[in-house]
């Protein structure tokens, strides 16, 4: 049989018994006659629908014939439908000559290459005297070198496009995951104490007295007396959480007044959905990466690739040097925080809407209408330690802006816990023309403080040895006087209770607190001004310490302090800075500053202890006198300069007589003060020299 008969026989067999590949049941195998010399190879050459047919001479002394499109069509059309035949351009100098054939499908090109590679076109078929041999290879429509060259030559397009692609992938893949973890954080899904199984196990183990999970006492810190005294504030706060009002709730009070415990342990005790954000952690973080990590950790935003921000910054820097503009890989702290807060807002809204059902009577409402009608469904955001600092303005501005969006959109209730009396200024930027709902927490009364200490000791006694209660009662002599010294600051009362439990008397415990407070004041406000440049001087701080220690009722009039010589220049800003640092507290009457008191009740006793140190008192008084003498000398120099200008005039108009007399009286008054200050300085210097 000849080749053609064999091909026809095989084709007939395949028509009756078709072979179909497993990956494509609609396709059948096809055959054709191999006319050339196929090159069997295992090179990494991926088949394509385009073939490059090169025309080579069949002998060394022969020449190849360049075939026309009609001739190539006749030879290659039997293998499959052709889309195009492109001959080599006439101006091209590439040897050997070639033509490009593009089939409609890659399988047709594979068939043509396997059958026609090495085929020699005879002279009778138009291949020349010695014949022309075909060399066939796959030709890609777009070469990898072309792609590489285009990428290298167009960085202004490629780099921003790559940055946009990375951002899109991040949003599509990671944002749903991050929102899921934030929802878990809001719903406290990882807090297993609420699960009935865990509660049962704890109960059984506690009965067996083998392992103990959690706290055995219902009131471990003995705060029941404090909460009874502040029951009105707790009820008011809980009522606000059931109302729809687009404003902030602010809990203001000095440090140690129990703001956090009041909110989390009492007002929000039965509220499931809450998130606590501690501004102090964000402010103390060093660098943008640390701030992003801490912000993400507080709301459960993960995964977070904060380390990628530094790498992206280097990429942006390199791109800027190459193309002249930033590529957009790195994001600012502002943008990163916006992403975190935005994902948190989305998760909060989903949590608030989880309780909706199609058969509810308000199912016809939109999501916004439902949230407005059901304020009790909204999560609660507690922003703790909110103190506005200019160096952290980006973080706090972004946080307050986000909180305002949550409030106005009825997504969540927002509660600020702050010790900063000027909290209204930064919050008003986010919610202008709004009156904040404010609860002011002061120190508890002496009676409540006494009940707090006694309840704390009774609680500890009931959980400890049987004889502890009797021993503590024997050491409570003078407790009322000690509580009066400490005032109603919860942290100080609790510290005293712990020391009494340890066997100390109330007087010894209070003495320890006073000593510690005096050391802190001395370090921060007196000696600490050498290494830093705060908004106050040691002279101003000592003046307040001394005058408050001598005050009969422990307070000073705000206006009188501003009229003193040490507070003439920018006195109000200095007093606000000292209030922020908790050396003093400023009381207001109808919004106007009226009086100044120590920052803590125990500070009054600490001030008295400091002024009893004669060496310290004399040295600082001497420093104050030196500063006052310097101020008066500057004033005299200013008056003398004006007198010199007036004296240089050719004539002395009588209209200037009153001005000259006023300047002379000022110089005389300043000189009188200087003489008095120098006299007092001499006495203090003599006392310091006489010390042994």
């Amino acid at each position: 049989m000849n080749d053609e008969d064999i091909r026809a026989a095989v084709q007939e067999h395949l028509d009756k018994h078709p072979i179909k590949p497993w990956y494509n049941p609609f396709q059948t195998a096809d055959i054709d006659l191999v006319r050339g010399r196929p090159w069997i190879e295992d090179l990494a050459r991926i088949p394509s629908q385009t073939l490059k047919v090169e025309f080579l001479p069949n002998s060394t002394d022969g020449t190849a014939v360049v075939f026309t499109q009609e001739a190539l069509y006749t030879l290659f059309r039997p293998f499959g439908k052709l889309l195009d035949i492109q001959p080599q351009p006439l101006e091209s100098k590439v040897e050997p000559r070639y033509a490009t054939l593009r089939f409609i499908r890659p399988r047709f090109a594979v068939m043509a290459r396997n059958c026609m590679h090495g085929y020699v076109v005879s002279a009778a078929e138009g291949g020349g005297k010695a014949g022309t041999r075909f060399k066939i290879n796959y030709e890609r429509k777009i070469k990898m070198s072309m792609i590489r060259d285009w990428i290298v030559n167009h960085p202004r397009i490629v780099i921003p496009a790559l940055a946009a692609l990375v951002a899109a992938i991040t949003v599509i893949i990671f944002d749903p995951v991050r929102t899921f973890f934030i929802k878990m954080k809001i719903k406290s899904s990882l807090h297993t104490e609420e699960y009935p199984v865990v509660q049962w196990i704890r109960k059984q183990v506690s009965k067996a007295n083998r392992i103990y999970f959690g706290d055995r006492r219902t009131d471990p810190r003995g705060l029941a007396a404090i909460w009874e005294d502040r029951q009105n504030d707790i009820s008011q706060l809980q009522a606000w959480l059931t109302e729809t009002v687009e404003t902030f709730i602010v809990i203001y009070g000095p440090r140690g007044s129990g703001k956090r415990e009041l909110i989390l342990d009492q007002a929000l005790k039965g509220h499931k959905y809450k998130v606590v954000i501690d501004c102090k952690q964000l402010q103390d973080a060093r660098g943008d990466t640390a701030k992003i990590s801490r912000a993400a950790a507080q709301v459960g935003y993960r995964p977070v690739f904060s380390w990628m921000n530094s790498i992206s910054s280097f990429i942006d820097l390199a791109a800027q040097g190459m193309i002249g503009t930033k590529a957009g890989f790195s994001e600012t702290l502002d943008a990163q925080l916006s992403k975190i807060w935005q994902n948190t807002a989305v998760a909060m809204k989903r949590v608030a809407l989880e309780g909706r059902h199609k058969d509810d009577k308000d199912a016809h409402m939109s999501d916004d209408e439902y949230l407005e009608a059901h304020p009790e469904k909204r999560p609660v955001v507690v922003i703790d330690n909110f103190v506005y600092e200019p160096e952290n303005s980006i973080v706090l501005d972004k946080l307050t802006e986000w909180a305002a969006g949550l409030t106005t959109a009825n997504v969540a209730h927002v509660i600020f816990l702050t010790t900063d009396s000027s909290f209204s200024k930064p919050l008003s930027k986010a919610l202008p023309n709004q009156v904040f709902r404010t609860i002011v927490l002061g120190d508890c009364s002496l009676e409540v403080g006494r009940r707090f200490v006694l309840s704390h000791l009774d609680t500890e006694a009931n959980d400890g040895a049987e004889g502890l209660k009797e021993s503590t009662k024997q050491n409570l002599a003078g407790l009322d006087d000690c509580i009066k010294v400490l005032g109603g600051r919860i942290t100080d009362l609790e510290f005293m209770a712990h020391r009494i439990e340890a066997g100390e008397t109330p007087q010894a415990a209070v003495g320890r607190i006073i000593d510690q407070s005096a050391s802190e004041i001395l370090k921060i406000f007196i000696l600490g001004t050498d290494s830093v440049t705060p908004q106050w001087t040691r002279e101003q701080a000592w003046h307040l310490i001394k005058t408050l220690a001598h005050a009969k009722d422990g307070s000073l009039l705000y206006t009188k302090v501003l009229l003193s010589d040490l507070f003439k220049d920018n006195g109000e800003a200095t007093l606000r800075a000292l209030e922020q640092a908790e050396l003093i507290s400023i009381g207001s009457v109808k919004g106007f500053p009226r009086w100044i008191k120590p920052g803590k009740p125990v500070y009054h006793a600490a001030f008295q202890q400091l002024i009893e140190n004669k060496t310290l008192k004399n040295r600082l008084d001497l420093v104050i006198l030196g500063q006052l003498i310097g101020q008066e000398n500057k004033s005299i120099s200013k008056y003398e300069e004006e007198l010199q200008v007036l004296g240089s005039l050719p004539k002395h108009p009588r209209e200037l007589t009153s001005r000259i007399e006023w300047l002379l009286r000022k110089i005389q008054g300043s000189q009188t003060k200087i003489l008095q200050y120098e006299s007092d300085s001499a006495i203090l210097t003599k006392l310091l020299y006489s010390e042994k």
Side-chain angles (χ1 to χ4, degrees), residues 643-659:
L643 285 175
Q644 187 176 3
V645 172
L646 296 177
S648 62
L649 298 175
K651 295 181 180 181
H652 298 283
R654 58 190 180 91
E655 290 82 3
L656 295 177
T657 302
S658 60
R659 180 66 178 178

Side-chain angles (χ1 to χ4, degrees), residues 565 625 628-633 635-636 639-640 663-681:
D565 293 335
L625 291 174
L628 294 175
I629 291 173
Q631 290 180 357
E632 297 301 331
N633 282 328
S635 300
I636 291 175
Y639 302 145
E640 289 176 345
L663 290 171
L664 292 175
R665 286 196 299 270
K666 284 292 184 180
I667 292 175
Q668 183 181 7
S670 296
Q671 183 60 31
T672 302
K673 290 182 179 180
I674 289 175
L675 293 176
Q676 182 62 42
Y677 294 155
E678 288 183 344
S679 176
D680 295 341
S681 298

Side-chain angles (χ1 to χ4, degrees), residues 44-331:
R45 294 181 179 180
I46 301 175
S48 68
Q49 65 188 80
T50 304
L51 295 180
K52 181 180 180 182
V53 182
E54 297 180 356
F55 312 123
L56 303 177
N58 192 33
S59 61
T60 56
D61 57 348
T63 58
V65 175
V66 178
F67 287 84
T68 63
Q69 294 185 13
E70 292 83 352
L72 292 174
Y73 180 85
T74 303
L75 292 171
F76 286 91
R77 177 60 181 86
F79 302 104
K81 186 176 180 180
L82 287 162
L83 288 178
D84 191 16
I85 299 176
Q86 289 290 337
Q88 183 180 2
L90 296 176
E91 63 275 9
S92 175
K93 304 299 183 182
V94 177
E95 293 291 342
R97 307 296 289 180
Y98 65 89
T100 303
L101 284 70
R102 188 155 65 95
F103 288 86
I104 193 172
R105 293 180 184 176
R107 64 190 299 252
F108 297 155
V110 173
M111 180 75 76
R113 180 178 182 271
N114 289 334
C115 293
M116 296 297 291
H117 180 79
Y119 175 67
V120 178
V121 184
S122 63
E125 295 174 324
K129 292 182 180 181
T132 301
R133 182 165 51 89
F134 288 160
K135 178 184 178 183
I136 305 175
N137 283 316
Y138 297 113
E139 183 78 2
R140 291 199 167 274
K141 188 175 180 180
I142 299 177
K143 297 182 179 179
M144 295 302 296
S145 59
M146 296 173 60
I147 299 176
R148 183 180 64 252
D149 294 341
W150 190 88
I151 292 175
V152 172
N153 295 329
H154 299 81
R156 292 178 180 270
I157 301 175
V158 173
I159 296 179
L162 185 59
L165 180 62
V166 171
I169 294 175
T170 302
V171 171
I172 294 172
I173 297 177
F174 291 110
D175 271 14
V177 177
R178 290 163 174 166
T179 304
F180 170 75
F181 280 114
I182 294 174
K183 286 176 62 178
M184 292 181 64
K185 180 78 172 182
I186 296 172
K187 298 168 66 175
S188 300
S189 300
L190 299 179
H191 298 174
T192 57
E193 294 181 357
E194 299 180 359
Y195 295 163
V197 176
V198 176
Q199 293 178 355
W200 181 83
I201 294 175
R202 289 180 56 185
K203 184 178 180 180
Q204 299 302 320
V205 173
S206 179
K207 288 181 179 179
N209 199 19
R210 292 176 298 182
I211 303 175
Y212 176 70
F213 295 94
D215 201 326
R216 285 172 291 181
R217 297 165 299 184
T218 57
D219 186 19
R221 295 178 58 188
L223 295 174
I226 305 297
W227 305 143
E228 291 177 4
D229 184 56
R230 294 176 175 174
Q231 191 59 45
N232 291 335
D233 294 334
I234 296 172
S235 301
Q236 179 65 73
L237 183 58
Q238 290 175 340
W240 285 343
L241 295 177
T242 60
E243 300 176 4
T244 300
V245 179
E246 298 177 358
T247 187
F248 295 143
I249 299 174
V250 182
I251 311 299
Y252 166 70
R255 186 168 297 156
S257 57
K259 299 183 295 297
R260 187 183 179 97
E261 293 81 359
L262 177 73
I263 298 299
L264 299 180
D265 298 342
Q266 297 299 314
L268 300 179
K269 187 175 182 180
H271 207 288
K272 288 185 178 181
Y273 306 143
K274 51 183 175 288
V275 174
V276 181
I277 299 175
D278 192 349
C279 291
K280 190 175 186 303
Q281 294 186 16
L282 301 180
Q283 293 170 347
D284 293 344
R286 300 294 181 183
D288 293 351
T289 301
K291 292 182 187 297
I292 294 169
S293 298
R294 293 190 180 184
Q298 292 191 13
V299 298
Y301 179 93
R302 60 179 183 268
V304 55
F305 307 110
S306 56
W307 53 271
M308 283 293 294
N309 198 45
S310 301
I311 298 176
S312 301
S313 299
F314 286 113
I315 296 176
D316 256 354
L317 184 62
Q320 186 174 7
M322 183 170 58
I323 65 177
T325 58
K326 289 186 177 181
F329 277 98
S330 65
E331 294 180 339

